[in-house]
Amino acid sequence: MGKHSNSLLDSLPSLNQIHIVMLGLDSAGKTTALYRLKFDQYLNTVPTIGFNCEKIKAQSGKAKGTSFLVWDIGGQDKLRPLWRSYTRCTDGIVFVVDSVDQERMEEAKMELQRTARTPENAGVPILVLANKQDLPAAKDPKEIARILGLPELSGSHLWHVQPACAIIGEGLDEGLEILYDMIIKKKKIAKQSKRKR
């Protein structure tokens, strides 16, 4: 193996398969978003006990053709301790929040901050899907970023809040693209810091 032969492989995110974990409180719309991305249609879902896992091929932009393996993990409080075992070796986290559910925003913040601050998730890019934006009482993405405390996350975290409506699929492809971008950026930064050592 020559010195240059593996540099191409390094630049491809885990050989074109990216691992994503979808988290969020129960009934935020994770599973709806997952199946919207997978089948481009609305499927009636039941609360997830355990997880759903689907392979999704990005349809647009720079991410086009990339396979995402998406794990959608149940969000009921008794299931949340399991999140850690899924985020251990993930490339990106999608945190889905119900933009209308004012009462549970604080709870969502607590769970998101706990996940982001877990040592093994240091620097894992976070895409917040601000779901249910079609409803009149929905908070806007800036407000949601503030409530969830995203600006206070350590500088190593790339994050973005994407307005979305999972039922009709609005904002999901864009969100995936932005997450892909953040993952590539993160891999580049990691490579540079390795060189500096």
Side-chain angles (χ1 to χ4, degrees), residues 99-127:
S99 308
V100 183
D101 195 350
Q102 179 63 37
E103 278 171 24
R104 296 178 79 203
M105 278 285 175
E106 206 39 57
E107 192 183 343
K109 172 185 182 169
M110 200 178 74
E111 296 297 354
L112 175 58
Q113 293 286 342
R114 179 182 293 158
T115 300
R117 296 198 164 137
T118 307
E120 59 260 34
N121 296 337
V124 172
I126 298 172
L127 174 76

Side-chain angles (χ1 to χ4, degrees), residues 21 81-93 113-126 156-157 186:
V21 176
L82 301 172
W83 288 4
R84 265 189 94 149
S85 47
Y86 289 94
T87 57
R88 208 156 272 153
C89 54
T90 191
D91 295 310
I93 291 170
Q113 293 286 342
R114 179 182 293 158
T115 300
R117 296 198 164 137
T118 307
E120 59 260 34
N121 296 337
V124 172
I126 298 172
S156 65
H157 274 288
K186 159 86 170 60

Side-chain angles (χ1 to χ4, degrees), residues 13-19 55 66-69 91:
S14 57
L15 292 176
N16 252 8
Q17 175 145 290
I18 291 182
H19 282 247
K55 197 183 232 175
T66 304
S67 285
F68 292 84
L69 195 63
D91 295 310

Side-chain angles (χ1 to χ4, degrees), residues 15-22 29-41 43 52-60 63-72 91 94 96 127 129 166 169 172-177 179-180 183:
L15 292 176
N16 252 8
Q17 175 145 290
I18 291 182
H19 282 247
I20 303 291
V21 176
M22 254 186 178
K30 297 181 293 298
T31 308
T32 302
L34 177 73
Y35 288 114
R36 202 6 130 176
L37 279 164
K38 172 83 178 168
F39 302 113
D40 197 24
Q41 60 179 343
L43 293 184
N52 302 298
C53 182
E54 293 293 346
K55 197 183 232 175
I56 287 160
K57 249 196 160 61
Q59 301 302 328
S60 61
K64 195 180 164 120
T66 304
S67 285
F68 292 84
L69 195 63
V70 184
W71 299 81
D72 148 43
D91 295 310
V94 176
V96 185
L127 174 76
L129 270 187
L172 301 182
D173 287 334
E174 294 88 331
L176 209 51
E177 238 180 278
L179 183 58
Y180 174 82
I183 290 167

